[in-house]
Amino acid sequence: MQATHSVYHNYFGQFGGRYVAEVLRTPLDLLEEEFAEAMEDPGFQREFDTIADQFVGRPTPLLYAENTTREIGGAQLYIKMEGLAHTGAHKINNAVGQALLARRMGKTRIIAETGAGQHGVATAAVCAKLGLECRVYMGEIDIRRQKPNVFWMQMYGAEVVPVTSGSRTLKDAVNEALRDWAHSFPETHYVIGSALGPSPYPDMVREFQSVVGRETRQQVEAAGLEVAALVACVGGGSNAIGFFAPYLDQPEPRLVGVEAGGTGDQPGRHAARMGGLGTPGIVQGYKSLFLLDEDGQVQPTHSISAGLDYPGIGPQLASLGASGRVEFRRARDQQALDAVGRFARNEGVVFALESAHGGAAALQLAAELPPHQAVVVNMSGRGDKDLFIMAGELDRRAWREFLLSEGDRL
Amino acid sequence: MNAADRPRAGQDRAHGTAVRPAVMAHMIPWFPDRERSFTIARALLDAGVGYLEVQFPYSDPTADGPAIQKACADALDAGFRVADGFEYLERLRAHRDVPIFLMSYAGLVYRRGVAEFVRRAADHGVTGLIVPDLPPGSDEGLYEAAQRYAISAVPVLVVTARQARIDAVAAVRPAYIYAALRSGITGRRTVIDSDSLAFLDRLRPIGAELMAGFGVQSAEQVQALAGHVETVVVGSAFVRVVEDVLSRRPAEAARHTDTLYEAVHAVARELVGS
Ligand SMILES: Cc1ncc(COP(=O)(O)O)c(C=O)c1O
């Protein structure tokens, strides 16, 4: 195991590593070197902090969910309002970090994959700001599910390329981006959107997302809270690992990752890799737990949220799950939808459907814990992008009529 | 024919007659379906290809271009399973006993244990294993298991490889090296120029049999590599021939497997130069 730098682990227990075809060896080696140097460079940190302050809108607030807490009668529920970050989700933190790194390496072109579109929108916005060319790969199914984000990416000047291979969702967009990078790396950096993929990506994405955890820690300490648990949804795991990062080396508080329970435990109906449903595998350049069939073929997944239906989990979270430091729960589609409605009515806050999986679990946890303790949920994104899904769920007929009348008007 | 029995590209060159390299034809079982994939294999073997590279289809073939990726997806839709793949190898060997190189991804090889996969491959008469995402150094025991079961694990080296990487690969003492003639993915055409040849000649001292591929589609390209490699790998070109037959003459292709056989056979013969 290499440990050239304290932030570079490569392996996390048995998971992680760099299992890539030879073509990707050179760009990953170079990225590893640059990342390690940048993390030691105060100038790089200052650049990051300036953009975080002026562009991203950091720090994001910590909100006391007072009405919901009263309704539950258990632990105090707090919401880390990461969805208030520019472009609507935590994804911007990583996009800023990697785009700055790309510029440092002299790259002029950025490629990214996106599922929910939040990572794509964040990357497109940062590229506009830094003057980098941007191309985003997005599965055809996700393009339909998250249409508003496609418009925003194009508005920022990015090219959105529909991916029609495989399951036409996030993992296939990752494949397409890897293919692009295999020949474009001399001038192109690939901004992976979650804490997964071959090393150094899982380490790098965690470092750039850990700003969320550091801020939260300061905020709960300033408020004098006794935090019993931190809760975050887990797709690939970037918002969770960033949120948990400052607490990984200590036994408390409880760290709870929430996966997409979908509509059931049968294959193809969920995207829960922990809790016995996933198997060890090597996919897309790293070793972790994946949803695989007996041959090792990647299985189809389902979630109501486009950002949580990835068949693998970041290697560090898989390892933290194995060691027991992070507990995993599942929230079903309907529980996530219910949580969106409840926080909207009670607190005036609309969670993204991804984050609402964390919200649903936090509601349960708060009910299990005493009032002098606090539960903090990371609202990794706000729900604006889910308008088309939520409106249909709320009142299908009225929404359909509206869409048809808009169509006529055009 | 064993690697040891074959004339070395370098030796031929010393005699001033650059012998045309053997062709390793790439194919995918169950593409477009079980029986027709066997028809394709027969056409390739009858045309005189020296080796077969049989790719076990995988759901996420990241190192492959659109042609092979789609063919793999079709093969999986047609019901390919790993166990079927091994049986299929037996059937190929019964038809003609050419060396078979099994290509796949870590996803399939790692699933039930790398050593177990290697053992099964050896049991089914496979000569070499090509697993691009289990390279030396991150191979999960592939090279050790290959030695134990007396088959060859074939490392890949790319034309852009730094000398340190070439040395690291040489250290596993490979019997074969798969030399990728450009960076990127499979499928796009490659221009064979002095850089490609210089790269191949840099690999020569390793003493492995060289198999060069990535974007080789024509007899001229095969000829251009004569004297520099023992074997040339042709992959996407055959997939495209098959796609062409299926799309242009769907009704005909469905009725006569002959159409498919003849199209593949003709292209293979031209490449083999027989
Ligand atoms: C708002 C939001 N939360 C969470 C996720 C899941 O990703 P991760 O697990 O990397 O945080 C996404 C992914 O698109 C997202 O948009």
Side-chain angles (χ1 to χ4, degrees), chain A residues 88-91 115-119 193-195 233-240 306-308 352 354-355 380-382 385:
Chain A
H90 69 293
K91 297 284 179 185
Q118 290 303 109
H119 173 57
S194 193
C233 68
V234 181
S238 68
N239 89 87
L308 298 187
E354 289 80 10
S355 323
S380 54
R382 59 177 186 257
K385 70 182 174 68

Coordinates of all heavy atoms in Angstrom, one line a residue, chain A residues 88-91 115-119 193-195 233-240 306-308 352 354-355 380-382 385, ligand 1:
Chain A
G88 N -27.1 24.4 -6.3 CA -28.1 23.6 -5.6 C -27.7 22.3 -4.9 O -28.5 21.5 -4.4
A89 N -26.4 22.0 -4.8 CA -26.0 20.8 -4.1 C -24.5 20.8 -3.7 O -23.8 21.7 -4.2 CB -26.2 19.5 -5.0
H90 N -24.1 19.9 -2.9 CA -22.7 19.8 -2.5 C -21.8 19.5 -3.6 O -20.6 19.7 -3.5 CB -22.6 18.6 -1.5 CG -22.8 17.2 -2.2 ND1 -24.0 16.8 -2.7 CD2 -21.9 16.2 -2.4 CE1 -23.8 15.6 -3.2 NE2 -22.6 15.2 -3.1
K91 N -22.3 19.1 -4.8 CA -21.4 18.7 -5.9 C -20.5 19.8 -6.3 O -19.4 19.6 -6.8 CB -22.3 18.3 -7.1 CG -23.2 17.1 -6.8 CD -22.4 15.8 -6.9 CE -23.3 14.6 -6.6 NZ -22.6 13.3 -6.5
G115 N -25.5 12.1 -13.1 CA -26.7 11.2 -13.0 C -27.9 12.2 -12.8 O -28.6 12.4 -13.7
A116 N -28.0 12.7 -11.6 CA -29.1 13.6 -11.3 C -28.9 14.9 -12.1 O -29.8 15.7 -12.3 CB -29.1 13.9 -9.8
G117 N -27.7 15.1 -12.6 CA -27.4 16.4 -13.3 C -26.8 17.4 -12.4 O -26.3 18.4 -12.9
Q118 N -26.8 17.2 -11.1 CA -26.3 18.2 -10.2 C -24.8 18.3 -10.3 O -24.2 19.4 -10.3 CB -26.6 17.8 -8.7 CG -28.0 18.0 -8.3 CD -28.6 19.4 -8.6 OE1 -29.3 19.6 -9.5 NE2 -28.1 20.3 -7.8
H119 N -24.1 17.2 -10.5 CA -22.6 17.3 -10.7 C -22.3 18.0 -12.1 O -21.4 18.7 -12.2 CB -22.0 15.9 -10.6 CG -20.6 15.9 -11.0 ND1 -19.6 16.6 -10.3 CD2 -19.9 15.2 -12.0 CE1 -18.4 16.4 -10.9 NE2 -18.6 15.6 -11.9
G193 N -17.7 12.7 -10.3 CA -18.6 13.4 -9.4 C -18.9 12.8 -8.1 O -19.6 13.4 -7.3
S194 N -18.3 11.6 -7.8 CA -18.5 11.1 -6.5 C -17.2 10.4 -6.0 O -16.2 10.4 -6.7 CB -19.6 10.1 -6.5 OG -20.0 9.8 -5.2
A195 N -17.2 10.0 -4.7 CA -16.0 9.5 -4.1 C -15.7 8.1 -4.5 O -15.7 7.1 -3.7 CB -16.1 9.6 -2.6
C233 N -27.4 10.8 2.8 CA -27.7 9.8 1.8 C -26.4 9.4 1.1 O -25.4 10.1 1.1 CB -28.7 10.4 0.8 SG -28.0 11.7 -0.3
V234 N -26.5 8.2 0.5 CA -25.3 7.6 -0.1 C -25.6 7.1 -1.5 O -26.3 6.1 -1.7 CB -24.7 6.5 0.7 CG1 -23.4 5.9 0.0 CG2 -24.3 6.9 2.1
G235 N -25.1 7.9 -2.5 CA -25.1 7.3 -3.9 C -23.8 6.7 -4.1 O -23.5 5.6 -3.7
G236 N -22.9 7.4 -4.7 CA -21.5 7.0 -4.7 C -20.8 7.3 -3.4 O -19.9 6.6 -3.0
G237 N -21.3 8.3 -2.7 CA -20.9 8.5 -1.3 C -20.1 9.8 -1.1 O -19.5 10.0 0.0
S238 N -20.2 10.8 -2.0 CA -19.3 12.0 -1.8 C -19.9 12.9 -0.7 O -19.1 13.4 0.1 CB -19.1 12.7 -3.1 OG -20.3 13.3 -3.6
N239 N -21.2 13.1 -0.7 CA -21.7 14.0 0.4 C -21.5 13.4 1.7 O -21.2 14.0 2.7 CB -23.1 14.5 0.1 CG -24.2 13.6 0.6 OD1 -24.6 13.8 1.8 ND2 -24.7 12.7 -0.2
A240 N -21.7 12.1 1.8 CA -21.6 11.4 3.1 C -20.1 11.4 3.6 O -19.9 11.8 4.7 CB -22.1 9.9 2.9
A306 N -32.4 10.1 -9.3 CA -31.4 9.8 -10.3 C -30.0 9.7 -9.7 O -29.1 9.1 -10.3 CB -31.5 10.8 -11.4
G307 N -29.8 10.4 -8.6 CA -28.4 10.5 -8.0 C -28.1 9.3 -7.1 O -26.9 9.2 -6.6
L308 N -29.0 8.4 -6.8 CA -28.7 7.3 -5.9 C -28.7 6.0 -6.6 O -28.6 5.0 -5.9 CB -29.7 7.3 -4.7 CG -29.7 8.6 -3.8 CD1 -30.6 8.3 -2.6 CD2 -28.3 8.9 -3.3
A352 N -33.8 17.8 -2.0 CA -33.6 17.0 -3.2 C -34.1 15.6 -2.9 O -33.9 15.2 -1.7 CB -32.2 17.0 -3.7
E354 N -32.7 12.8 -3.5 CA -31.5 12.1 -2.9 C -31.4 12.4 -1.4 O -31.4 11.4 -0.6 CB -30.2 12.5 -3.6 CG -30.1 12.1 -5.1 CD -30.9 13.0 -6.0 OE1 -31.4 14.0 -5.6 OE2 -31.0 12.6 -7.2
S355 N -31.3 13.6 -1.1 CA -31.1 14.0 0.3 C -32.2 13.6 1.2 O -32.1 13.4 2.4 CB -30.9 15.6 0.4 OG -30.2 16.1 -0.7
S380 N -28.0 17.4 1.2 CA -26.9 17.5 0.2 C -27.4 18.4 -1.0 O -26.6 19.0 -1.7 CB -26.5 16.2 -0.3 OG -27.6 15.4 -0.8
G381 N -28.7 18.4 -1.3 CA -29.2 19.2 -2.4 C -30.6 19.7 -2.1 O -31.3 19.2 -1.3
R382 N -30.9 20.8 -2.8 CA -32.3 21.3 -2.7 C -33.1 20.7 -3.9 O -32.6 20.3 -4.9 CB -32.4 22.8 -2.7 CG -31.8 23.5 -3.9 CD -31.9 25.0 -3.8 NE -31.5 25.7 -5.0 CZ -30.3 26.4 -5.1 NH1 -29.4 26.4 -4.1 NH2 -30.0 27.0 -6.2
K385 N -34.6 20.9 -8.8 CA -34.4 20.0 -10.0 C -35.5 18.9 -10.1 O -35.7 18.4 -11.2 CB -33.0 19.4 -10.0 CG -32.9 18.3 -8.9 CD -31.6 17.7 -8.8 CE -31.5 16.8 -7.6 NZ -32.3 15.5 -7.7
Ligands
LIG1 C1 -28.3 16.3 -4.2 C2 -27.6 15.0 -4.3 N1 -27.3 14.3 -3.2 C3 -26.6 13.2 -3.3 C4 -26.2 12.6 -4.5 C5 -25.5 11.3 -4.5 O1 -24.1 11.4 -4.6 P1 -23.1 11.2 -3.5 O2 -23.5 9.9 -2.8 O3 -21.8 11.2 -4.2 O4 -23.2 12.3 -2.5 C6 -26.4 13.3 -5.7 C7 -26.0 12.8 -6.9 O5 -26.2 13.2 -8.0 C8 -27.1 14.6 -5.6 O6 -27.4 15.3 -6.7

